[in-house]
């Protein structure tokens, strides 16, 4: 089959990659569309994938071909699904989304509603599970209302980096959970984030951004979810935006710290996406043991996301459709790496390869 793999030196498209074996708790999926994420570009830059033609890529949408016997959810052959794979997994070369046929952890997959195309659905998986882990599992925010009956809370929530795919979904999840959502982004994306439910957007390039947010909230902002996670300027903005109250919570991605010297009172939580499968792996020089808790949460939150998509309560990130299928992905990842994709998510159709 056709696949985008890491050969130890560079990412290249092969036409002879074997179809992966099916673990008992996985789905075998014919991939129709894939979407690009910063983590995919980083996997290549850092050479994280197996040098033995390890598969790359995380976000996918496709059609179920086979259902592993240990999957608990009632998936069927022919179901349209989207979700996440652990692309660039050095220990398991068959993990990855950028191929004609892939395997994905079954109970964390999401059925695609009839009204949604594969291209839109391909943008969902990474962002939805990342938001679920970061906002609701790690930070402990109230879960989104799946029936649309939102219980308003008298609390502000700042989504830092709201115009990314993770950000636009985070804004929607936060609003559906009843929070008054504010965000930061480039002014050219203000209309996008407000269309997704942000009450107010602030320019993170403005040196007074943090103080503006602090003033807007009358010093009452106690919840921040940082979708960027490794931006020093962003952390400084968040520090300035926070209430002076000792009950503030800051959720972030990966492993960065929130300046404990200046705000040791802030409760900091972080998440690493790939723990969602409940399987051990190594990343960034660290060992992450298997976490059944993370798997169970991801399975539950995938169900919430599926319901919200079905009822049109959750809108996918704008699609930027690329040319060339898997061959086009290589150039697309360079655009992602260089920060040249904003307000949309690059998506490629595998059949165009």
């Amino acid at each position: 089959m056709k696949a985008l793999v890491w050969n130890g030196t560079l990412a290249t498209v092969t036409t002879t990659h074997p179809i992966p074996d099916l673990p008992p708790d996985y789905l075998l999926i014919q991939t129709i569309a894939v979407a690009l994420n910063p983590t995919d570009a980083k996997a290549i830059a850092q050479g994280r994938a197996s040098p033995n033609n390890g598969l790359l890529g995380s976000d996918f949408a496709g059609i179920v071909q086979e259902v592993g016997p240990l999957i608990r959810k009632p998936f069927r052959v022919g179901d349209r699904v989207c979700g996440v794979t652990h692309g660039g997994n050095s220990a398991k070369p068959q993990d990855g989304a950028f191929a004609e046929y892939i395997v994905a952890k079954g109970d964390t997959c999401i059925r695609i509603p009839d009204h949604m195309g594969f291209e839109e659905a391909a943008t969902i998986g990474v962002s939805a599970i990342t938001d679920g882990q970061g906002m609701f599992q790690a930070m402990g925010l109230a879960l989104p209302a799946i029936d649309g009956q939102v219980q308003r809370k008298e609390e502000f929530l700042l989504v830092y980096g709201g115009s990314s795919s993770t950000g636009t979904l985070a804004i929607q999840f936060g609003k559906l959970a009843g929070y008054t959502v504010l965000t930061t982004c480039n002014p050219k994306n203000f209309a996008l984030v407000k269309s997704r439910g942000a009450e107010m957007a602030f320019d993170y390039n403005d040196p007074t951004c943090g103080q503006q947010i602090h003033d807007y909230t009358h010093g009452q902002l106690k919840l921040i979810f940082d979708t960027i996670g490794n931006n020093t300027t962003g952390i400084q903005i968040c520090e300035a935006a926070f209430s002076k109250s000792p009950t503030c919570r800051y959720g972030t991605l990966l492993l960065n710290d929130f300046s404990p010297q200046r705000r040791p009172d802030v409760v900091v939580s972080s998440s690493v996406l790939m723990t969602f499968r409940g399987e051990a792996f190594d990343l960034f020089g660290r060992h992450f043991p298997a976490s059944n808790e993370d798997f169970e949460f991801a399975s539950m939150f995938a169900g919430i996301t599926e319901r919200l998509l079905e009822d049109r309560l959750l809108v996918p990130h704008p699609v930027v459709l690329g040319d060339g299928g898997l061959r086009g992905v290589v150039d697309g990842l360079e655009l992602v790496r260089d920060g040249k994709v904003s307000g949309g998510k690059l998506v490629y159709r595998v059949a165009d390869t």
Side-chain angles (χ1 to χ4, degrees), residues 53-315:
N53 288 333
L55 286 178
L56 298 165
S58 306
D59 258 329
F60 71 88
I63 303 169
V64 174
Q65 303 297 301
E66 189 174 349
V67 180
L70 296 185
I71 293 175
R72 297 171 301 185
K73 293 183 179 179
F75 288 108
R76 298 288 183 268
V77 172
D79 282 350
R80 301 163 72 244
V81 296
C82 61
V84 193
T85 65
H86 187 166
N89 184 354
S90 60
K92 294 185 177 180
Q94 74 171 5
D95 287 345
F98 296 163
E100 289 184 285
Y101 291 90
I102 64 172
V103 290
K105 193 82 168 188
D107 288 318
T108 66
C109 289
I110 298 164
R111 286 184 184 82
I112 303 170
D114 292 340
H115 61 78
M116 184 177 296
F118 288 109
E119 294 82 5
E120 286 182 297
T123 71
I124 295 291
V126 166
S127 298
I129 299 300
T130 296
D131 288 338
Q133 288 178 326
M135 296 170 65
F136 304 105
Q137 184 182 15
M139 286 185 71
L141 302 186
L143 288 169
I146 60 173
D147 57 3
Q149 301 300 310
V150 178
Q151 300 296 314
R152 286 295 305 273
K153 301 168 182 60
E154 298 302 320
E155 291 184 89
F156 291 103
L157 167 66
L158 175 67
V159 174
Y160 185 83
S163 63
S164 66
S165 176
T166 300
T168 58
L169 289 193
I171 290 167
Q172 296 175 78
F173 284 133
K175 187 174 181 180
L176 287 166
Y179 299 97
T180 299
V181 183
L182 313 175
T183 194
T184 64
C185 63
N186 189 300
K188 69 180 182 181
N189 293 319
F190 279 2
L192 169 63
V193 297
K194 289 182 178 180
S195 75
R196 298 306 195 258
E199 178 179 278
M200 184 60 70
F202 299 86
D203 179 4
Y204 51 36
N205 295 307
D206 189 321
T208 67
C209 180
Q211 187 60 49
Q212 289 179 32
I213 298 169
H214 186 85
D215 293 344
Y216 184 86
T217 59
H218 303 289
Q220 296 303 306
L221 175 65
K222 298 181 181 180
L223 301 171
I224 296 179
F225 179 55
D226 181 353
T227 74
I228 308 301
N230 59 358
N231 183 307
T232 301
T233 300
I235 292 173
Q236 292 171 348
I237 289 173
C238 293
E239 286 179 332
F242 260 138
S243 168
K244 304 306 180 186
S245 165
T247 58
C248 296
R249 283 179 279 170
Y250 170 83
T252 187
L253 312 178
L254 305 177
L255 308 171
N256 66 297
D257 293 322
F258 179 84
S259 305
Q261 298 85 356
R262 288 192 289 270
R263 289 299 301 268
D265 57 298
V266 173
V267 176
V268 178
S269 59
S270 63
S271 57
V272 176
L273 170 64
M274 292 310 170
T275 65
F276 83 97
R277 300 189 310 169
E279 300 176 15
F281 63 96
D282 295 309
L283 187 65
F284 310 126
R286 284 186 49 179
H287 178 71
F288 292 84
S291 172
N292 189 62
E293 178 183 353
D294 289 0
F295 164 68
E296 293 294 350
F297 183 91
S299 175
M300 180 274 294
F301 199 76
I304 289 176
T305 302
E306 183 176 302
R307 174 73 178 273
L308 295 175
L309 291 171
E310 176 67 33
D311 293 343
R312 301 176 187 262
L313 295 172
L314 193 65
V315 180

